[in-house]
Amino acid sequence: MQTMQTALKTSIATVSIAGDFREKLAAISRAGYTGIEIFEQDFVGYDGSPVDVGWLVGDFGLEVMLFQPFRDFEGLPEPYRSRAFDRAERKFDLMNDLGVDLVLVCSNISPAALGGIDRAADDFAELGERAKAKNIRIGYEALAWGRHINDHRDAWEVVRRANHSNVGIILDSFHTLGRKIDPDTIRSIPGDKIFFVQLADAPRIDMDLFYWSRHFRNMPGEGDLAVVDFMRAVAATGYDGPLSLEIFNDQFRGGSPLTIARDGHRSLISLMDDVCRLEPDIRLNVAPMPPRSRCHGFEFIEFTSNEHEAEGLAAILKALGFELAGHHVAKQVARWCQGDINILVNTEETGFAHSAYQAHGTSVCDMALRVDNASDTIARAGELGAEIVKTADIAGELLIPAIKGVGGGIVHFVDHESELATLWEVDFTPVDGTTLFEGAGLRSVDHLAQTMKYEEMLTWTLFYTSIFDLDKVAMVDVVDPGGLVRSRAIQNTSGKLRITLNGAENQNTLAGRFISQTFGATVQHIAFGCEDIFVTAQQLSERGFAALSMSANYYDDLGARFGLEESFLNRLRDMNILYDEDDKGSFFQLYSRAWGGELFFEIVQRVEGYQGYGAPNAPFRIAAQKRELG
Ligand code: MG
Ligand code: MG
C-alpha cells in the first residue's frame, strides 16, 4: 500500500450539481471536497461582487481551483486576435478578485480560427506573458470538437512549443476517451506541465460528441469509459494536483445536490484506490483502504412485519417449503430455513425494524451478506462515504457490522473469520424437531430485485460496485404496459451475489406502483435458486403455493421463438413455468402471486451458465401480475 503524503485534492465543477450558488457550495463542502471549478454563470445570479464570491467559497472551507471556460482564443486573425487578448485581460482581473489563479482555455471552435500548431503556440506564449504579470496560469484543454485542436496530443504540442512557465495543459478524460484516443499517450507529458485534470465518465452511446458530452456525462465508474486507464496514465506523469469532476448531466442538474456531490466524491476515492492497486510503484496521495469486498452470498434476508401480517408471511414461507428453525434469544425474530437460505421475520414493536414497518408495511428491511472479512468491508465502505449503522451493544448478542443501503435498508456483513460465524448459535434458539430443511428444493438466494426511482440508479450502482467486487451488466429496458422500467444487474463472477436494480420512471409501471404503495420499500422480489424446477414446482403445488398464471399466448410465442417440443412446452404451460435461453444455457422461472400487496417471490433454475434474469419474459410476467392485481 502507498504511504500517505498530503491528502488527495478533490474538486467539482459547480455546473455539475443543482441548486443556487450557496446550496451548491454547502453540498460540495459537506461531501468533503477540497475545492471547486467555477463557471462565471454560476455566480452571475449571486448578489455580491467577485470578491464576495471568493470569500463565500472560503467560508464553506473550499478553494476556487479553476476558473472556466475561456473560449475561442487561439489562432485568430486580426481584429479578433486583439479582442481575444483584451477579453482575457478582463478575465484575469476578475480572477484576481475571485482569488483563483488558473484559467481553462478550451480549444477554439470558431470558424474564424486558423490552424497551425506554431500560430497557436505563439498566441499562448504571449498570453502566458500577460498572465504572468497578473499571477495567473493558463491551462489549455483540447475539446473533442475543437476546430483545429481536438486531441490532447496536439494541445500538448502547442503547450510544449509555447514554452512558457505560466502555460500548461488541462486533461479531461471525456475528451480523450470519448474520441477513443489511447490514454497511454498521456504518459509522455511531464507531470509539472499538467496544470489540472478533469474527470468524467459516460455511457457508451453512439451520438454527436458535443451532445453526448453536454447531457450524458456521469461520475467515474458510473459509465463505460476507461477512466481508470486514463487516470493511471496521468498518475504515471507524476501529476499530483487536483482531480476535478466536470459533469454535465441532465439528471444530475435536477437531482439532490448533496447526493450527487457525495456520489462524485465516492467515485474519486474509489478511482484512486483502483489506480493505486494497478500502479503500485507510483506514490499517490491516497489513504489506504481494504480492497473491494468479495461476497459469497446472502447470509439472511430480514422482513419487518407485525404479528398479524407475519402470519400471512409465515403461510407463504411454508408454501415455499421453508421451515421455522429458530427464534432470536432476545427479540421477536423468527428464523425460517431452507437449503442455504435464512429468512428472518421481525415483529418487534420498537427499534429499526419497527420504524421500517411503520414506514413501508411488511417489507424487507435488512439483509446480511457473507463476505471474506466483515470489518474490512466496513472499513472500505466508511472510506467511500457509506453511512455506518451504530447498533446497540447488547450483552449476549453479536454485534453485526452494518451500513445503510438502498432506501435506508440495512446491509449487514457476516464472515467466517470472526465470532460472526457463530451468529446462529449465539443469537438464536433452535426450534425442536426441525429437519434438514430440504423443503421444496430451494437451495439459495439467486437474486434480489431492488426497485427505486430511475434517477437513483447510478447512485446505487456506484454504491455496490465501489464497495464490493461486482460487475455491472448492461442496462436493459423492460417494457411495462404503463411505461418503461430500466433494469441493471450487478453480479460477481461466482454468481453468489446478484442484485437487479430497477428504475421506475413513473407510477403506472408495476415497479413505480410498488414504490408509491410501499412508500419507498426497495426489495420488490426475492428469487430463490433450485436444481430441478419441475420437481420443485410439483412440491410447491402440493404445499398450496399459488403460482402466477401465465397466458396461453405466452407459451405459443415461446414455442415459436425457441422451436420447443410440444411435450416440453406443455410441461412448462401446466406448471406456469417461464423459459429463456442465452448463448450459454437456459433459464426457468416460476413466480408467486403478488403477496401482501406488491411483493413477490420467484423461483429460478439456471442451466449451463445462463447469465441473465429472464428479461425477455418480463413484459409477459408484468402483464400477468397486472391482470392479477386488477
Ligand atoms: Mg473539460
Ligand atoms: Mg427476477
Side-chain angles (χ1 to χ4, degrees):
M1 257 182 223
Q2 310 299 318
T3 32
M4 195 163 135
Q5 307 163 354
T6 53
L8 181 68
K9 291 186 236 68
T10 55
S11 155
I12 184 168
T14 44
V15 72
S16 311
I17 60 172
D20 66 24
F21 191 57
R22 247 174 210 285
E23 288 166 339
K24 289 179 184 206
L25 294 177
I28 292 168
S29 164
R30 271 187 74 189
Y33 292 84
T34 325
I36 59 167
E37 284 180 32
I38 201 163
F39 273 53
E40 207 171 349
Q41 302 94 297
D42 260 336
F43 64 84
V44 172
Y46 175 73
D47 186 22
S49 69
V51 174
D52 295 335
V53 170
W55 282 110
L56 181 70
V57 175
D59 285 347
F60 280 98
L62 298 166
E63 271 172 60
V64 185
M65 294 179 150
L66 177 75
F67 178 84
Q68 76 137 320
F70 188 70
R71 298 185 193 281
D72 296 335
F73 165 71
E74 81 281 15
L76 292 171
E78 290 296 352
Y80 306 111
R81 185 175 186 276
S82 298
R83 286 182 202 158
F85 277 93
D86 291 346
R87 264 198 300 131
E89 294 272 5
R90 285 201 297 277
K91 295 296 174 196
F92 295 164
D93 295 336
L94 172 64
M95 288 170 65
N96 279 325
D97 286 347
L98 281 168
V100 51
D101 78 337
L102 179 63
V103 58
L104 179 149
V105 179
C106 54
S107 59
N108 204 326
I109 59 168
S110 161
L114 304 170
I117 297 274
D118 282 328
R119 183 195 311 272
D122 289 349
D123 288 345
F124 275 102
E126 184 177 338
L127 190 67
E129 204 50 31
R130 295 206 200 185
K132 192 175 180 183
K134 291 182 174 171
N135 289 317
I136 300 284
R137 294 179 305 139
I138 309 290
Y140 183 39
E141 176 196 56
L143 290 177
W145 51 88
R147 189 157 186 92
H148 299 289
I149 304 287
N150 51 31
D151 182 322
H152 68 253
R153 290 168 293 194
D154 292 336
W156 164 237
E157 190 53 24
V158 169
V159 168
R160 196 185 68 78
R161 293 192 200 179
N163 192 25
H164 193 284
S165 60
N166 286 46
V167 177
I169 188 170
I170 289 181
L171 296 167
D172 179 323
S173 62
F174 182 88
H175 294 304
T176 294
L177 301 171
R179 292 194 68 233
K180 300 192 172 120
I181 299 164
D182 180 359
D184 278 342
T185 54
I186 291 169
R187 290 177 187 255
S188 54
I189 303 174
D192 62 354
K193 291 305 278 181
I194 302 174
F195 281 5
F196 203 74
V197 171
Q198 295 177 317
L199 295 163
D201 203 337
R204 239 321 143 203
I205 314 173
D206 214 6
M207 64 161 69
D208 173 68
L209 276 169
F210 179 76
Y211 196 80
W212 185 29
S213 171
R214 283 306 155 93
H215 300 275
F216 293 93
R217 286 185 178 213
N218 55 25
M219 304 301 178
E222 290 182 344
D224 303 320
L225 303 183
V227 187
V228 174
D229 294 340
F230 173 90
M231 199 53 227
R232 287 174 70 178
V234 170
T237 68
Y239 174 80
D240 65 352
L243 301 180
S244 189
L245 298 163
E246 189 198 27
I247 315 291
F248 307 99
N249 183 302
D250 298 351
Q251 228 178 287
F252 294 178
R253 289 183 206 228
S256 144
L258 186 58
T259 302
I260 305 297
R262 282 185 169 151
D263 285 353
H265 201 260
R266 168 174 292 162
S267 78
L268 290 177
I269 303 295
S270 176
L271 171 69
M272 291 313 288
D273 178 61
D274 288 340
V275 171
C276 270
R277 285 170 208 289
L278 294 162
E279 300 281 344
D281 298 335
I282 305 174
R283 286 167 66 87
L284 294 163
N285 303 332
V286 180
M289 64 169 116
R292 280 190 176 77
S293 179
R294 282 205 316 189
C295 192
H296 308 286
F298 295 88
E299 184 69 35
F300 65 75
I301 293 171
E302 180 169 341
F303 282 84
T304 178
S305 192
N306 69 5
E307 290 274 343
H308 173 67
E309 289 171 22
E311 287 171 21
L313 181 52
I316 188 161
L317 289 173
K318 277 186 205 158
L320 280 163
F322 284 87
E323 194 164 356
L324 182 64
H327 292 282
H328 193 273
V329 290
K331 296 182 212 151
Q332 291 184 55
V333 180
R335 176 192 183 195
W336 294 79
C337 291
Q338 180 172 189
D340 197 24
I341 313 162
N342 292 293
I343 301 284
L344 303 184
V345 181
N346 187 324
T347 50
E348 283 278 290
E349 283 173 2
T350 55
F352 170 76
H354 184 63
S355 332
Y357 175 78
Q358 286 180 316
H360 312 297
T362 295
S363 56
V364 172
C365 62
D366 195 326
M367 61 170 143
L369 300 175
R370 270 175 217 147
V371 294
D372 276 348
N373 186 309
S375 55
D376 281 357
T377 306
I378 283 285
R380 181 176 176 92
E383 287 293 331
L384 290 165
E387 189 181 337
I388 294 167
V389 177
K390 294 186 179 53
T391 37
D393 196 350
I394 299 166
E397 277 181 51
L398 290 175
L399 251 180
I400 314 175
I403 58 174
K404 279 272 171 72
V406 184
I410 289 183
V411 185
H412 279 108
F413 303 112
V414 174
D415 61 32
H416 289 281
E417 300 302 310
S418 65
E419 58 174 10
L420 293 168
T422 61
L423 163 69
W424 301 116
E425 289 77 47
V426 173
D427 282 4
F428 284 81
T429 313
V431 167
D432 284 343
T434 43
T435 61
L436 292 169
F437 315 125
E438 282 306 308
L442 308 187
R443 288 283 157 267
S444 59
V445 175
D446 182 90
H447 64 274
L448 207 65
Q450 294 193 304
T451 296
M452 59 201 66
K453 288 183 184 151
Y454 172 65
E455 56 266 30
E456 293 178 63
M457 284 185 81
L458 286 175
T459 297
W460 295 109
T461 305
L462 185 66
F463 169 87
Y464 282 117
T465 56
S466 60
I467 300 173
F468 304 100
D469 184 14
L470 287 170
D471 297 317
K472 51 184 199 276
V473 179
M475 187 104 81
V476 292
D477 292 342
V478 173
V479 182
D480 178 301
L484 205 62
V485 175
R486 309 283 180 91
S487 183
R488 154 163 271 161
I490 45 174
Q491 58 192 42
N492 58 10
T493 351
S494 69
K496 292 280 172 65
L497 183 66
R498 298 171 181 272
I499 295 176
T500 59
L501 306 179
N502 302 291
E505 290 193 6
N506 72 45
Q507 293 191 4
N508 303 325
T509 59
L510 199 69
R513 176 179 152 145
F514 171 78
I515 296 174
S516 75
Q517 299 214 348
T518 61
F519 299 96
T522 58
V523 176
Q524 194 180 4
H525 76 261
I526 303 170
F528 301 115
C530 70
E531 275 155 22
D532 186 330
I533 196 124
F534 292 102
V535 171
T536 291
Q538 184 59 39
Q539 291 185 1
L540 291 178
S541 104
E542 286 164 14
R543 288 168 178 269
F545 170 82
L548 177 73
S549 170
M550 298 300 295
S551 72
N553 291 342
Y554 167 72
Y555 290 99
D556 292 344
D557 177 63
L558 198 61
R561 258 195 294 153
F562 295 115
L564 303 177
E565 278 183 28
E566 201 53 38
S567 59
F568 179 65
L569 200 56
N570 285 338
R571 289 182 74 198
L572 295 174
R573 185 188 287 119
D574 289 347
M575 299 280 199
N576 285 299
I577 294 171
L578 296 79
Y579 179 80
D580 189 33
E581 290 177 10
D582 67 6
D583 53 356
K584 290 207 175 72
S586 55
F587 190 53
F588 297 88
Q589 298 167 280
L590 176 67
Y591 284 94
S592 77
R593 299 217 174 130
W595 167 84
E598 311 284 324
L599 192 126
F600 55 95
F601 296 97
E602 178 186 3
I603 292 113
V604 305
Q605 183 191 348
R606 294 181 183 273
V607 183
E608 286 162 4
Y610 175 94
Q611 282 304 313
Y613 297 84
N617 289 326
F620 308 107
R621 179 261 296 175
I622 291 166
Q625 287 174 314
K626 284 192 151 177
R627 270 199 303 279
E628 234 162 45
L629 289 165

